[in-house]
Amino acid sequence: MAERSDIKDLIEKAYAARVKGDLDALMDYFHPDCRFQLMGAAEREAICRPLEGCVAVRGQMAEFIGAFTFSNFETLDVVVEGDRAAYHWRADVTFVPTGRTETFQTLDLLSFEDGKVRSLAQFTDTAGVARLTAAAAN
């Protein structure tokens, strides 16, 4: 899948599924041997440890969908080079247990294999996520 337009289309459809909270549709875009990592201090935050395989990634995505909803989702930029892409986006993220919302900008680095997402490294404001989720303890 070397065509820029095919990769861009796949990204847009996968993220639309995430915004809708449709786990099955989202996971259809992931390769069976996929990898996901929320980039951060993995030694301090379990959520930042890399996950290997569709079962593990699906479990994490299910947790994310249950805990966080997105609104005002906006694509800021997409760069595609071969079978790799950088996707820059912004959304208002609501932590479901508290209803508290903050705006986040995120940069995702993706690689593709056999027309599916093979790896996703997500860079976001993990301190902001910690603030947003800490509200549940208050």
Side-chain angles (χ1 to χ4, degrees):
M1 179 207 269
E3 291 295 320
R4 180 189 190 282
S5 61
D6 291 339
I7 289 176
K8 188 173 182 284
D9 186 54
L10 186 151
I11 291 169
E12 289 171 352
K13 287 178 180 176
Y15 283 77
R18 170 57 187 99
V19 169
K20 286 194 302 193
D22 187 339
L23 179 63
D24 290 332
L26 173 62
M27 293 310 299
D28 282 344
Y29 295 101
F30 279 90
H31 189 278
D33 296 321
C34 59
R35 180 179 202 279
F36 171 79
Q37 185 171 10
L38 178 63
M39 304 308 290
E43 66 279 358
R44 292 183 50 209
E45 299 293 333
I47 198 169
C48 295
R49 292 190 185 115
L51 300 170
E52 302 278 347
C54 208
V55 171
V57 172
R58 182 184 182 86
Q60 184 64 72
M61 293 301 152
E63 287 184 32
F64 285 161
I65 286 170
F68 302 100
T69 60
F70 295 166
S71 59
N72 300 317
F73 188 90
E74 177 183 10
T75 297
L76 300 175
D77 199 10
V78 181
V79 177
V80 178
E81 188 171 305
D83 65 353
R84 300 173 95 42
Y87 185 56
H88 184 196
W89 55 274
R90 173 177 42 225
D92 294 336
V93 178
T94 300
F95 184 52
V96 174
T98 64
R100 187 161 176 222
T101 301
E102 289 192 28
T103 302
F104 288 87
Q105 278 196 43
T106 301
L107 177 68
D108 292 342
L109 299 179
L110 303 102
S111 69
F112 301 87
E113 184 178 317
D114 300 328
K116 304 268 187 176
V117 175
R118 179 70 159 91
S119 70
L120 169 56
Q122 189 164 77
F123 296 83
T124 196
D125 176 5
T126 53
V129 173
R131 277 192 316 272
L132 187 64
T133 59
N138 295 335

